[in-house]
Amino acid sequence: MHWPDNIELLYYSFHVMITLGTIFILLMAYAGFQNWRGQLESSTMLLWVLMLAFPFPYIANTLGWMTAELGRQPWLVYGLFHTRDGYSKVVSNGDTIFTLIGFAGLYFVLGLLFLFLVGREIAHGPDEEVVASRGEESLV
């Protein structure tokens, strides 16, 4: 019998994913509360935390994928139905490659769109009203 050897990786990928999800919920609830109070823009520490937290959704997404894939491997039904027997005989290699290229292309286009939109916002700069009001606040 072959026992699974990736239990630690599966365990930690799941728990870190859940921890990041909980942190997201708490962080967004606090940011929403600060926004409701009208103090989000003046909460420098919270804005830094929000800015530095931007890679965490990508990490959580990858860990979720790892959890799904590691959790189903190396058995489908342990001792009865092996992974090598779990593929579809209806789906061809060409269909699989086409789907892989399609998803890679979709993520590539979304990545380019993200970079374009972020670059456009950076090039646009802050609103004049915000800059002027901050300048007046620092003079007082």
Side-chain angles (χ1 to χ4, degrees):
M1 273 200 203
H2 296 289
W3 289 97
D5 58 356
N6 60 358
I7 298 299
E8 292 85 11
L9 183 58
L10 174 62
Y11 176 86
Y12 287 113
S13 65
F14 174 76
H15 282 84
V16 171
M17 175 191 67
I18 295 301
T19 302
L20 286 174
T22 305
I23 290 171
F24 298 152
I25 291 169
L26 295 175
L27 186 59
M28 289 301 109
Y30 183 64
F33 177 69
Q34 288 293 81
N35 189 36
W36 177 73
R37 291 176 57 199
Q39 296 181 353
L40 179 62
E41 290 83 12
S42 62
S43 302
T44 307
M45 186 66 168
L46 177 59
L47 293 175
W48 271 102
V49 170
L50 290 171
M51 183 186 71
L52 294 175
F54 85 91
F56 294 154
Y58 302 105
I59 295 169
N61 186 303
T62 301
L63 291 172
W65 174 79
M66 287 175 59
T67 299
E69 293 304 319
L70 292 171
R72 97 173 90 212
Q73 300 293 335
W75 66 92
L76 293 173
V77 177
Y78 189 74
L80 299 175
F81 190 57
H82 294 98
T83 304
R84 68 178 174 264
D85 302 323
Y87 72 96
S88 173
K89 294 173 180 68
V90 177
V91 180
S92 69
N93 289 342
D95 291 340
T96 305
I97 296 294
F98 179 76
T99 303
L100 176 66
I101 291 171
F103 275 113
L106 178 65
Y107 279 116
F108 180 74
V109 169
L110 287 174
L112 287 178
L113 181 63
F114 172 77
L115 291 174
F116 169 74
L117 292 173
V118 168
R120 187 177 70 177
E121 286 300 313
I122 290 172
H124 181 276
D127 293 338
E128 297 296 327
E129 298 166 4
V130 173
V131 173
S133 68
R134 294 208 183 241
E136 292 170 6
E137 289 174 4
S138 63
L139 293 175
V140 175

